[in-house]
mmCIF file of all heavy atoms in Angstrom:
data_model
loop_
_atom_site.group_PDB
_atom_site.id
_atom_site.type_symbol
_atom_site.label_atom_id
_atom_site.label_comp_id
_atom_site.label_asym_id
_atom_site.label_seq_id
_atom_site.Cartn_x
_atom_site.Cartn_y
_atom_site.Cartn_z
ATOM 1 N N HIS A 292 12.898 22.728 -28.917
ATOM 2 C CA HIS A 292 13.418 21.516 -29.528
ATOM 3 C C HIS A 292 14.979 21.643 -29.635
ATOM 4 O O HIS A 292 15.477 22.615 -30.069
ATOM 5 C CB HIS A 292 12.783 21.445 -30.895
ATOM 6 C CG HIS A 292 13.438 20.333 -31.786
ATOM 7 N ND1 HIS A 292 13.917 20.524 -33.078
ATOM 8 C CD2 HIS A 292 13.784 19.033 -31.458
ATOM 9 C CE1 HIS A 292 14.390 19.518 -33.599
ATOM 10 N NE2 HIS A 292 14.405 18.455 -32.623
ATOM 11 N N VAL A 293 15.641 20.616 -29.114
ATOM 12 C CA VAL A 293 17.189 20.620 -29.066
ATOM 13 C C VAL A 293 17.820 19.600 -30.026
ATOM 14 O O VAL A 293 18.918 19.806 -30.465
ATOM 15 C CB VAL A 293 17.633 20.499 -27.600
ATOM 16 C CG1 VAL A 293 17.320 21.762 -26.842
ATOM 17 C CG2 VAL A 293 17.010 19.251 -26.935
ATOM 18 N N PHE A 294 17.138 18.461 -30.346
ATOM 19 C CA PHE A 294 17.770 17.566 -31.235
ATOM 20 C C PHE A 294 16.661 16.479 -31.569
ATOM 21 O O PHE A 294 15.520 16.410 -31.004
ATOM 22 C CB PHE A 294 18.948 16.793 -30.629
ATOM 23 C CG PHE A 294 18.652 15.954 -29.419
ATOM 24 C CD1 PHE A 294 18.409 14.563 -29.503
ATOM 25 C CD2 PHE A 294 18.646 16.487 -28.053
ATOM 26 C CE1 PHE A 294 18.173 13.754 -28.450
ATOM 27 C CE2 PHE A 294 18.368 15.674 -27.005
ATOM 28 C CZ PHE A 294 18.142 14.268 -27.107
ATOM 29 N N ASP A 295 17.037 15.659 -32.567
ATOM 30 C CA ASP A 295 16.174 14.489 -32.944
ATOM 31 C C ASP A 295 16.758 13.216 -32.459
ATOM 32 O O ASP A 295 17.945 12.986 -32.549
ATOM 33 C CB ASP A 295 16.002 14.502 -34.482
ATOM 34 C CG ASP A 295 15.230 15.705 -34.981
ATOM 35 O OD1 ASP A 295 14.420 16.269 -34.192
ATOM 36 O OD2 ASP A 295 15.318 16.116 -36.158
ATOM 37 N N LEU A 296 15.907 12.211 -32.141
ATOM 38 C CA LEU A 296 16.313 10.905 -31.653
ATOM 39 C C LEU A 296 15.700 9.839 -32.481
ATOM 40 O O LEU A 296 14.540 9.742 -32.437
ATOM 41 C CB LEU A 296 16.007 10.754 -30.121
ATOM 42 C CG LEU A 296 16.353 9.485 -29.541
ATOM 43 C CD1 LEU A 296 17.942 9.362 -29.408
ATOM 44 C CD2 LEU A 296 15.727 9.366 -28.056
ATOM 45 N N ALA A 297 16.564 9.019 -33.044
ATOM 46 C CA ALA A 297 16.078 7.895 -33.855
ATOM 47 C C ALA A 297 16.230 6.623 -33.041
ATOM 48 O O ALA A 297 17.380 6.363 -32.545
ATOM 49 C CB ALA A 297 16.928 7.756 -35.162
ATOM 50 N N VAL A 298 15.141 5.887 -32.740
ATOM 51 C CA VAL A 298 15.175 4.705 -31.995
ATOM 52 C C VAL A 298 15.400 3.478 -32.953
ATOM 53 O O VAL A 298 14.572 3.155 -33.812
ATOM 54 C CB VAL A 298 13.919 4.455 -31.205
ATOM 55 C CG1 VAL A 298 13.999 3.212 -30.349
ATOM 56 C CG2 VAL A 298 13.606 5.746 -30.329
ATOM 57 N N ALA A 299 16.603 2.741 -32.857
ATOM 58 C CA ALA A 299 16.891 1.649 -33.650
ATOM 59 C C ALA A 299 16.392 0.399 -33.085
ATOM 60 O O ALA A 299 16.662 0.068 -31.925
ATOM 61 C CB ALA A 299 18.396 1.632 -33.862
ATOM 62 N N GLN A 300 15.627 -0.308 -33.696
ATOM 63 C CA GLN A 300 14.942 -1.572 -33.339
ATOM 64 C C GLN A 300 15.925 -2.702 -33.452
ATOM 65 O O GLN A 300 16.734 -2.819 -34.413
ATOM 66 C CB GLN A 300 13.621 -1.902 -34.064
ATOM 67 C CG GLN A 300 12.545 -0.850 -33.991
ATOM 68 C CD GLN A 300 11.983 -0.758 -32.588
ATOM 69 O OE1 GLN A 300 11.983 -1.762 -31.870
ATOM 70 N NE2 GLN A 300 11.636 0.416 -32.141
ATOM 71 N N ASP A 301 16.000 -3.478 -32.520
ATOM 72 C CA ASP A 301 16.742 -4.726 -32.479
ATOM 73 C C ASP A 301 15.926 -5.965 -33.167
ATOM 74 O O ASP A 301 14.979 -6.335 -32.600
ATOM 75 C CB ASP A 301 17.212 -5.205 -31.040
ATOM 76 C CG ASP A 301 18.213 -6.305 -31.153
ATOM 77 O OD1 ASP A 301 18.569 -6.851 -32.119
ATOM 78 O OD2 ASP A 301 18.743 -6.665 -30.025
ATOM 79 N N THR A 302 16.410 -6.226 -34.442
ATOM 80 C CA THR A 302 15.656 -7.243 -35.149
ATOM 81 C C THR A 302 15.657 -8.628 -34.624
ATOM 82 O O THR A 302 14.881 -9.498 -34.834
ATOM 83 C CB THR A 302 16.192 -7.202 -36.616
ATOM 84 O OG1 THR A 302 17.523 -7.519 -36.619
ATOM 85 C CG2 THR A 302 15.938 -5.969 -37.320
ATOM 86 N N SER A 303 16.754 -8.880 -33.740
ATOM 87 C CA SER A 303 16.902 -10.188 -33.218
ATOM 88 C C SER A 303 15.950 -10.447 -31.930
ATOM 89 O O SER A 303 15.745 -11.515 -31.580
ATOM 90 C CB SER A 303 18.306 -10.477 -32.693
ATOM 91 O OG SER A 303 18.616 -9.520 -31.580
ATOM 92 N N VAL A 304 15.378 -9.356 -31.443
ATOM 93 C CA VAL A 304 14.362 -9.437 -30.340
ATOM 94 C C VAL A 304 12.944 -9.206 -30.948
ATOM 95 O O VAL A 304 12.787 -8.287 -31.624
ATOM 96 C CB VAL A 304 14.758 -8.464 -29.358
ATOM 97 C CG1 VAL A 304 13.681 -8.436 -28.155
ATOM 98 C CG2 VAL A 304 16.177 -8.552 -28.839
ATOM 99 N N PRO A 305 12.090 -10.202 -30.619
ATOM 100 C CA PRO A 305 10.734 -9.995 -31.008
ATOM 101 C C PRO A 305 9.993 -8.876 -30.461
ATOM 102 O O PRO A 305 10.284 -8.458 -29.323
ATOM 103 C CB PRO A 305 10.016 -11.326 -30.664
ATOM 104 C CG PRO A 305 10.805 -11.888 -29.539
ATOM 105 C CD PRO A 305 12.251 -11.498 -29.863
ATOM 106 N N ALA A 306 9.139 -8.234 -31.285
ATOM 107 C CA ALA A 306 8.527 -6.972 -30.763
ATOM 108 C C ALA A 306 7.481 -7.437 -29.702
ATOM 109 O O ALA A 306 6.964 -8.434 -29.739
ATOM 110 C CB ALA A 306 7.743 -6.311 -32.004
ATOM 111 N N PRO A 307 7.390 -6.621 -28.624
ATOM 112 C CA PRO A 307 6.423 -6.898 -27.549
ATOM 113 C C PRO A 307 5.031 -6.907 -27.983
ATOM 114 O O PRO A 307 4.638 -6.037 -28.817
ATOM 115 C CB PRO A 307 6.743 -5.803 -26.558
ATOM 116 C CG PRO A 307 7.349 -4.669 -27.292
ATOM 117 C CD PRO A 307 8.067 -5.289 -28.432
ATOM 118 N N VAL A 308 4.315 -7.776 -27.561
ATOM 119 C CA VAL A 308 2.828 -7.793 -27.825
ATOM 120 C C VAL A 308 2.057 -7.198 -26.750
ATOM 121 O O VAL A 308 2.102 -7.600 -25.570
ATOM 122 C CB VAL A 308 2.381 -9.376 -28.013
ATOM 123 C CG1 VAL A 308 0.829 -9.347 -28.309
ATOM 124 C CG2 VAL A 308 3.127 -10.022 -29.111
ATOM 125 N N LEU A 309 1.372 -6.162 -27.132
ATOM 126 C CA LEU A 309 0.529 -5.351 -26.158
ATOM 127 C C LEU A 309 -0.788 -5.994 -26.003
ATOM 128 O O LEU A 309 -1.492 -6.328 -27.059
ATOM 129 C CB LEU A 309 0.489 -3.843 -26.562
ATOM 130 C CG LEU A 309 1.859 -3.116 -26.586
ATOM 131 C CD1 LEU A 309 1.619 -1.723 -26.960
ATOM 132 C CD2 LEU A 309 2.577 -3.243 -25.197
ATOM 133 N N SER A 310 -1.332 -5.965 -24.800
ATOM 134 C CA SER A 310 -2.662 -6.428 -24.583
ATOM 135 C C SER A 310 -3.588 -5.292 -24.681
ATOM 136 O O SER A 310 -3.238 -4.075 -24.486
ATOM 137 C CB SER A 310 -2.799 -7.062 -23.092
ATOM 138 O OG SER A 310 -2.455 -6.079 -22.078
ATOM 139 N N ALA A 311 -4.846 -5.562 -25.033
ATOM 140 C CA ALA A 311 -5.821 -4.470 -25.172
ATOM 141 C C ALA A 311 -6.072 -3.744 -23.894
ATOM 142 O O ALA A 311 -6.067 -4.455 -22.806
ATOM 143 C CB ALA A 311 -7.143 -5.059 -25.713
ATOM 144 N N PRO A 312 -6.220 -2.502 -23.881
ATOM 145 C CA PRO A 312 -6.488 -1.753 -22.605
ATOM 146 C C PRO A 312 -7.745 -2.171 -21.949
ATOM 147 O O PRO A 312 -8.752 -2.525 -22.677
ATOM 148 C CB PRO A 312 -6.469 -0.278 -23.006
ATOM 149 C CG PRO A 312 -6.771 -0.355 -24.449
ATOM 150 C CD PRO A 312 -6.190 -1.627 -25.040
ATOM 151 N N GLU A 313 -7.848 -2.143 -20.657
ATOM 152 C CA GLU A 313 -9.037 -2.566 -19.947
ATOM 153 C C GLU A 313 -10.123 -1.484 -20.155
ATOM 154 O O GLU A 313 -9.877 -0.203 -19.971
ATOM 155 C CB GLU A 313 -8.723 -2.741 -18.499
ATOM 156 C CG GLU A 313 -9.940 -3.251 -17.606
ATOM 157 C CD GLU A 313 -9.601 -3.536 -16.206
ATOM 158 O OE1 GLU A 313 -8.409 -3.267 -15.904
ATOM 159 O OE2 GLU A 313 -10.545 -3.939 -15.578
ATOM 160 N N ARG A 314 -11.255 -1.891 -20.475
ATOM 161 C CA ARG A 314 -12.360 -1.011 -20.595
ATOM 162 C C ARG A 314 -13.391 -1.240 -19.381
ATOM 163 O O ARG A 314 -13.620 -2.411 -19.013
ATOM 164 C CB ARG A 314 -13.175 -1.322 -21.959
ATOM 165 C CG ARG A 314 -12.304 -1.117 -23.244
ATOM 166 C CD ARG A 314 -11.815 0.288 -23.412
ATOM 167 N NE ARG A 314 -10.928 0.376 -24.590
ATOM 168 C CZ ARG A 314 -10.305 1.479 -24.898
ATOM 169 N NH1 ARG A 314 -10.438 2.487 -24.163
ATOM 170 N NH2 ARG A 314 -9.613 1.516 -26.003
#
Side-chain angles (χ1 to χ4, degrees):
H292 170 230
V293 288
F294 66 93
D295 292 336
L296 180 65
V298 181
Q300 298 293 327
D301 189 354
T302 56
S303 62
V304 178
V308 180
L309 295 181
S310 58
E313 183 178 0
R314 304 296 181 185

